[in-house]
Amino acid sequence: MSTLFDGVPLHPRNGRELNVLIIARISSKLQDRRSLGDQNALAEKYVTARFASHPISFRLIQGQGSGELLDRADLLEAEEAVDSRIYDMVVVEDIGRICRRSRAVDFCEACEDARTRLISINDNIDTAREDWRMHAFFASLKHESSNKDTSKRIRRSNRNRFIQGTIIKTFVYGYVKPPGAKTDADIYKDPNTIQVMEQIVQMLEAEASYAEVADWLNETKVPPSRWCKRSKWDASMVKNLVFNPILKGLRRWNQKISRRNNRTVRYVSEKAPEEEHLFRETPHLAFFKAERYDRLIDKLSLRGERYRNKILAKSMGNAVAEACPTSRTVWPGQHVTCGVCGRHFVWGGHGPADNMICSGVRDYACWNVVSFNGRCAGPSLLAALWRTLEALPEFDTTLVGTLRASLLERRASRKERLRSLEGRLEQTVRELGNIADAIASVGMIPTMQAKMHDLELTRQQLLLDRIAVMAETDHDIELPSVDAIRLRARELLASQDFGDQPFGRSLRKLMPVIRVYPVQALDGGDVHQRAYVDMQLAPLVGTGASELAPYLRRSVAVNLFGLPQRIKHLPHILRRIAEGGKQRRIATELGIDQAAVQRGRALHRLMEAAGTTDPYVLLKSVPAGTKMRRMEHKRYEFKPLPGFPAWPE
């Protein structure tokens, strides 16, 4: 027996009853789920109205999700049901309920192959008719076009409402959205978060990492924004908070744009073109002044460039690659450099974990093979810093007058200096772009690699100089007393924990340059390492630090080894000999061997002949008679970085 559906007969496969598959779908959780039942009722009514003599068995496959998604579970289930060839008919309200785009036509063709009739009620599609393909193509095109038009309308409305200040969805930490808020004017800063925001910025200005700020927030039990899904802070949350310009009173919109992956038809988020960005000024929401906020963002962006692309850094030379540490380390790790080749000293020299050695030695690129104990070097360098602070003289009135005159001159030339830096920076960026284009055309060659390395270092230095110029204030210089500077140093270095990251950062500021050189006593013996430290005490001053920097810079030599008896007690030995003391008695008084007294006297004669008061001499080449044999290896090739060796004056 056959039944006519719109004039086309339909025969049950099993000869007894019709098996009908109904497909229903809603797009999002915001839609009323009762719509699924409505779609099912419509399909059942359509079938029963045209078939009354045979029993009918219905199966409903329903789901929730965008019709553009082609990996939905309900779509895969429907395709498997059609391939089973059990069902006589598939009925849907419209073809878009199955899926969208050309996949909907493919589904219709799969039904045709399985001898399963598909009827889309609203689209007037019936695969039993010869013209079904044209109807299916136009229906899928209509649904795709309607989807695009809806997206454009929503986008247009959102952009206009943001400009009008009526889009207020979610906010970062520090802001309150009261019930019933309609515009930006209804949003206000949480007064309880002002001190927290100030502490966050101060930590980042002091070069704390995002992770350290997150740890502090979690330790002090500061909750994230109420719109945040996570209950604890992490580094990415801190970065997203700080890089949101609402902190300086500038709301932003449309920084991200969604792009459809045509294979899965899932949308991925990516940066929107600059012409798509929207900004709206909201001064009442600013936590910080724009100048301070912009300086911080420039500083953080510049700091992050070193870690952004390690492959690019390595292609630009060792100097940039070695500036990309992969983990935290105990100070003075990642800070001490070799004065012979310019590379960092690393932990683990000659086996012991506490020893430090030039990284160029491991690569057979440097002859400075002597290691030193880094755990002992830290206290020695810190002690030298304290001695420098104790010897710091008070500021006189002449110095204050000189500094004020210098400050007035710098203020007058600030705009011109900033304009010059911007021009040089723009030119450097253009040259980098030209080299990048050349590399893309002909590949990387040594001359281009060296040029790119030099330009990248120049660009970073120009950015630092620009930040420094922007940070200059119009305040008058108020010089603190030396006692106040020492007190500030005690507060800054209170932890005395060399493994503490903030403590290490403070020491890096106060000792920005630490270069290590090999030295040997005038009378021979073992080769040791001596550090030549450029100390900069200006960070302890505060206002006027940049003007005071030339006056608060000190160069200090620090021995990173224990002195032998003949050198350690040399002043006492010479004094007692001058007084007529005997060598044996002098040795007994000092608790040393008589041979040490004899060698100390001989060393003094060598010092007098050389016209120096330093018992050690700086080695500029490998001395004879030592165990320094690295350069005899077949893989050895001395490869200093540009600007090295840099011998101390």
Side-chain angles (χ1 to χ4, degrees):
M1 179 179 179
S2 64
T3 303
L4 294 179
F5 281 75
D6 295 339
V8 180
L10 176 66
H11 302 280
R13 288 178 185 269
N14 56 19
R16 300 185 302 276
E17 63 178 4
L18 286 175
N19 289 314
V20 179
L21 177 65
I22 299 174
I23 300 176
R25 180 186 61 82
I26 57 176
S27 297
S28 67
K29 296 179 180 179
L30 300 178
Q31 286 186 263
D32 192 345
R33 292 192 62 86
R34 289 178 296 181
S35 174
L36 296 173
D38 296 338
Q39 295 175 46
N40 182 44
L42 174 65
E44 289 185 358
K45 181 179 179 181
Y46 184 90
V47 173
T48 54
R50 289 161 176 76
F51 185 80
S53 57
H54 273 281
I56 306 173
S57 174
F58 292 102
R59 178 190 173 186
L60 174 64
I61 295 180
Q62 61 183 11
Q64 178 265 313
S66 172
E68 292 187 335
L69 299 181
L70 304 182
D71 54 356
R72 303 189 332 267
D74 56 299
L75 175 59
L76 299 178
E77 182 182 0
E79 290 175 336
E80 291 179 358
V82 170
D83 292 339
S84 68
R85 297 179 179 250
I86 296 175
Y87 299 95
D88 300 293
M89 179 183 295
V90 175
V91 182
V92 292
E93 182 182 34
D94 60 68
I95 197 173
R97 299 296 179 176
I98 303 174
C99 57
R100 298 191 185 277
R101 301 170 64 234
S102 60
R103 184 71 171 270
V105 180
D106 294 340
F107 188 89
C108 295
E109 291 181 341
C111 291
E112 186 180 48
D113 293 341
R115 299 292 192 271
T116 299
R117 188 171 177 179
L118 183 141
I119 293 180
S120 176
I121 300 173
N122 294 341
D123 296 326
N124 197 27
I125 297 174
D126 185 352
T127 56
R129 299 204 307 254
E130 293 183 356
D131 61 349
W132 73 266
R133 279 185 174 79
M134 181 178 295
H135 288 282
F137 278 121
F138 278 108
S140 62
L141 180 62
K142 180 188 70 174
H143 293 307
E144 177 74 5
S145 176
S146 175
N147 198 33
K148 287 290 185 182
D149 291 342
T150 302
S151 176
K152 289 180 179 179
R153 285 196 300 271
I154 294 174
R155 181 178 177 81
R156 176 208 62 201
S157 299
N158 286 341
R159 289 176 66 88
N160 182 65
R161 291 171 187 173
F162 175 80
I163 294 174
Q164 300 299 323
T166 58
I167 284 190
I168 48 171
K169 294 184 177 180
T170 61
F171 289 86
V172 295
Y173 170 81
Y175 296 94
V176 177
K177 177 183 176 182
K182 300 295 184 182
T183 66
D184 289 340
D186 299 326
I187 309 301
Y188 62 90
K189 296 183 296 184
D190 187 349
N192 298 323
T193 65
I194 294 177
Q195 292 184 351
V196 176
M197 298 294 288
E198 178 64 27
Q199 180 65 20
I200 291 174
V201 170
Q202 287 183 3
M203 292 178 68
L204 293 174
E205 289 175 337
E207 299 186 0
S209 65
Y210 301 124
E212 289 172 344
V213 176
D215 292 341
W216 175 79
L217 290 170
N218 292 327
E219 289 172 2
T220 53
K221 301 187 183 304
V222 176
S225 167
R226 71 181 182 89
W227 291 282
C228 184
K229 296 180 180 179
R230 300 179 182 177
S231 59
K232 289 187 177 182
W233 291 87
D234 60 20
S236 62
M237 292 167 61
V238 173
K239 181 180 179 182
N240 291 337
L241 168 65
V242 174
F243 273 76
N244 195 323
I246 195 175
L247 299 186
K248 66 173 181 179
L250 189 66
R251 282 202 64 198
R252 67 182 180 186
W253 182 265
N254 211 37
Q255 302 300 295
K256 296 286 186 178
I257 194 170
S258 59
R259 179 181 58 82
R260 186 173 70 183
N261 184 312
N262 290 320
R263 183 181 296 273
T264 62
V265 199
R266 290 193 177 274
Y267 284 80
V268 294
S269 180
E270 60 184 24
K271 290 184 178 180
E274 291 188 5
E275 59 269 16
E276 295 287 336
H277 297 180
L278 293 178
F279 294 94
R280 175 177 168 80
E281 293 186 1
T282 52
H284 69 290
L285 299 180
F287 275 95
F288 308 101
K289 292 184 177 180
E291 296 81 5
R292 182 186 182 189
Y293 177 82
D294 291 338
R295 286 199 307 270
L296 176 63
I297 295 303
D298 289 342
K299 185 176 181 180
L300 295 176
S301 300
L302 181 61
R303 186 177 74 180
E305 286 186 2
R306 296 191 308 166
Y307 311 94
R308 188 169 293 126
N309 194 332
K310 300 293 181 65
I311 298 176
L312 176 61
K314 290 181 179 179
S315 69
M316 294 174 61
N318 290 333
V320 178
E322 291 186 3
C324 300
T326 57
S327 62
R328 296 181 180 180
T329 185
V330 176
W331 190 86
Q334 297 176 358
H335 187 47
V336 175
T337 58
C338 175
V340 176
C341 72
R343 294 176 176 84
H344 281 154
F345 268 67
V346 295
W347 295 98
H350 295 132
D354 291 343
N355 281 5
M356 300 191 73
I357 193 171
C358 174
S359 59
V361 173
R362 294 182 172 181
D363 298 330
Y364 296 90
C366 183
W367 55 264
N368 187 13
V369 300
V370 180
S371 61
F372 65 90
N373 191 305
R375 302 286 181 178
C376 298
S380 299
L381 293 169
L382 184 59
L385 174 63
W386 286 119
R387 288 195 298 269
T388 304
L389 284 170
E390 292 299 328
L392 192 66
E394 289 287 350
F395 303 116
D396 55 27
T397 55
T398 303
L399 175 60
V400 174
T402 303
L403 291 177
R404 284 176 176 165
S406 174
L407 179 61
L408 291 175
E409 183 180 352
R410 290 179 63 83
R411 286 176 185 170
S413 63
R414 182 190 302 170
K415 290 184 178 180
E416 183 61 32
R417 287 184 288 124
L418 190 59
R419 189 182 304 111
S420 175
L421 287 172
E422 293 286 358
R424 293 168 58 192
L425 183 60
E426 184 178 350
Q427 180 181 356
T428 303
V429 171
R430 282 199 304 268
E431 292 180 8
L432 278 170
N434 294 337
I435 292 181
D437 294 339
I439 291 174
S441 300
V442 302
M444 179 70 75
I445 59 178
T447 55
M448 288 185 179
Q449 178 178 343
K451 182 64 175 178
M452 178 173 281
H453 168 255
D454 294 340
L455 286 173
E456 181 61 27
L457 293 181
T458 301
R459 187 185 70 86
Q460 293 189 10
Q461 186 59 49
L462 289 173
L463 287 172
L464 290 173
D465 293 343
R466 186 179 67 174
I467 293 173
V469 173
M470 294 175 63
E472 294 177 2
T473 64
D474 294 330
H475 299 295
D476 195 6
I477 292 180
E478 297 180 1
L479 296 181
S481 65
V482 173
D483 290 336
I485 293 178
R486 296 188 187 114
L487 179 60
R488 171 61 177 156
R490 293 189 187 97
E491 294 174 352
L492 199 63
L493 306 175
S495 71
Q496 299 288 318
D497 180 7
F498 291 93
D500 181 41
Q501 296 299 314
F503 180 76
R505 279 195 299 272
S506 299
L507 290 177
R508 284 184 175 89
K509 288 183 178 180
L510 298 174
M511 292 181 275
V513 178
I514 303 177
R515 289 178 180 167
V516 174
Y517 299 86
V519 294
Q520 188 181 36
L522 286 171
D523 57 353
D526 294 336
V527 178
H528 301 285
Q529 297 283 17
R530 173 181 287 179
Y532 288 83
V533 187
D534 289 343
M535 294 190 179
Q536 181 53 265
L537 307 180
L540 300 173
V541 175
T543 303
S546 58
E547 286 74 20
L548 274 173
Y551 303 93
L552 292 177
R553 183 178 291 115
R554 300 289 188 274
S555 295
V556 181
V558 181
N559 291 325
L560 304 179
F561 56 94
L563 295 175
Q565 292 180 348
R566 69 185 187 279
I567 297 177
K568 181 178 181 181
H569 300 286
L570 183 59
H572 186 79
I573 292 173
L574 296 177
R575 186 176 67 253
R576 291 291 291 117
I577 290 176
E579 294 172 355
K582 301 297 182 180
Q583 293 183 3
R584 183 173 297 177
R585 188 167 184 174
I586 296 173
T588 303
E589 290 177 356
L590 298 177
I592 60 177
D593 298 332
Q594 183 178 349
V597 179
Q598 295 172 347
R599 295 188 63 188
R601 188 173 183 180
L603 176 61
H604 179 65
R605 288 194 291 268
L606 292 174
M607 292 167 60
E608 288 181 331
T612 180
T613 58
D614 188 356
Y616 286 92
V617 61
L618 185 67
L619 298 180
K620 296 187 177 181
S621 61
V622 179
T626 64
K627 297 181 180 179
M628 301 171 69
R629 296 286 185 269
R630 194 71 163 179
M631 67 294 305
E632 296 179 4
H633 198 283
K634 62 181 180 179
R635 286 185 293 184
Y636 174 80
E637 182 181 359
F638 184 47
K639 297 178 180 179
L641 299 182
F644 287 87
W647 305 114
E649 298 179 358

